[in-house]
Amino acid sequence: MHTHVLFEHPLNEKMRTWLRIEFLIQQLESKLPIVDHASALHFFRNIGDLLDVFERGEVRTELLKELERQQRKLQAWVEVPGVDQNRIDALRQQLKNSGAILMTAPRMGQILREDRLIGLVRQRLSIPGGCCSFDLPTLHIWLHTSQTQRDAQVQRWIDSLQPLNQALTLILDLIRNSAPFRKQTSLNGFFQDNGDDADLLRLQLALDEQLYPQISGHKSRFAIRFLPLDSENGLVPERLDFELACC
């Protein structure tokens, strides 16, 4: 059986930001509990990156707009014969609730930004080896407090991201499930098509091909070039089958 690799490529700036936030939150939670310097630095580095992303754009505004857009899209499905009415109503209610929670939540990342320990570690992360115990005695002693105390503090930080995470998960699920995968064929490693106002491209490729896609484009048009992982000796077949969803 072939192993397939899924590649996702954003076709606009808001989707690029959302995928980065999703990735960073997943990274944040992947090395918990924090038991040593390595897991602590992994966590704080991702918190710092997340705060940098928040500072670059109107994340909350874009998410609220998208929650409304998805509600309108679901409304259009109500008239379709044979559609699961209860499922549509439940999803619309989820979107509505998520929007209300996000609207009343504190400023994105505010609790993290105001935390003294996060601030101290963040300042030192750009210095090579700048989080040694002699550079950051605060972090050193924090790592010696009880695991229970540390876990509770980390949980408070993660909980502060919940309104954002809940809205984002809901939106990305709906977008990802909005289009089926279709079989496509590239010729001499190249494929192009119209995006039809899509937000996201999802591409599945067999691992044995040892190829990866280089995607460029925007919501109305995109191009995909397939390149070998081994740039010296790898070959790109004349015809290559892959699966593509324009979401």
Side-chain angles (χ1 to χ4, degrees), residues 13-170:
E13 199 49 48
K14 68 176 185 188
M15 181 55 74
R16 185 172 284 113
T17 301
W18 293 346
L19 290 179
R20 282 181 178 149
I21 291 172
E22 179 191 48
F23 171 76
L24 288 168
I25 291 176
Q26 285 169 351
Q27 291 299 303
L28 262 190
E29 295 173 345
S30 71
K31 292 274 195 290
L32 294 180
I34 292 176
V35 291
D36 54 17
H37 261 88
S39 50
L41 292 182
H42 173 88
F43 181 85
F44 287 115
R45 185 165 278 116
N46 283 293
I47 286 267
D49 286 352
L50 204 48
L51 291 174
D52 287 346
V53 173
F54 292 161
E55 276 154 24
R56 281 191 209 129
E58 288 297 310
V59 178
R60 192 207 306 250
T61 312
E62 288 290 355
L63 285 172
L64 287 168
K65 274 191 209 160
E66 188 62 28
L67 288 166
E68 282 190 16
R69 184 174 84 106
Q70 291 293 340
Q71 281 185 67
R72 286 196 301 276
K73 280 176 83 171
L74 287 170
Q75 179 62 41
W77 279 94
V78 171
E79 308 301 320
V80 179
V83 81
D84 184 342
Q85 197 66 55
N86 294 338
R87 176 90 178 110
I88 297 277
D89 289 345
L91 276 171
R92 284 174 67 198
Q93 196 54 52
Q94 269 182 286
L95 288 163
K96 210 170 174 177
N97 293 347
S98 200
I101 292 167
L102 188 61
M103 186 90 79
T104 54
R107 185 170 162 240
M108 208 70 81
Q110 186 178 344
I111 287 165
L112 305 175
R113 208 175 277 107
E114 289 171 356
D115 189 274
R116 184 169 172 269
L117 181 60
I118 290 175
L120 286 169
V121 178
R122 225 179 140 194
Q123 282 170 7
R124 311 289 311 175
L125 280 169
S126 58
I127 301 163
C131 296
C132 291
S133 59
F134 61 84
D135 274 317
L136 259 184
T138 346
L139 176 63
H140 189 61
I141 194 161
W142 185 73
L143 285 169
H144 282 80
T145 57
S146 78
Q147 189 68 51
T148 317
Q149 198 180 328
R150 225 172 26 250
D151 289 349
Q153 191 165 4
V154 168
Q155 197 53 54
R156 279 197 299 277
W157 290 332
I158 285 176
D159 287 347
S160 74
L161 294 166
Q162 260 318 93
L164 155 79
N165 198 15
Q166 187 187 21
L168 187 62
T169 303
L170 196 51

Side-chain angles (χ1 to χ4, degrees), residues 186-236:
S186 78
L187 299 174
N188 298 315
F190 187 73
F191 179 85
Q192 63 177 358
D193 203 356
N194 296 326
D196 297 329
D197 267 356
D199 289 305
L200 178 70
L201 287 185
R202 309 185 80 216
L203 187 154
Q204 292 201 110
L205 197 55
L207 181 61
D208 358 358
E209 301 287 0
Q210 290 289 288
L211 299 169
Y212 65 91
Q214 200 173 63
I215 302 171
S216 59
H218 45 77
K219 60 183 181 179
S220 56
R221 190 140 190 84
F222 62 86
I224 304 170
R225 190 169 292 286
F226 292 94
L227 300 167
L229 188 55
D230 178 351
S231 55
E232 298 290 306
N233 310 304
L235 295 171
V236 179

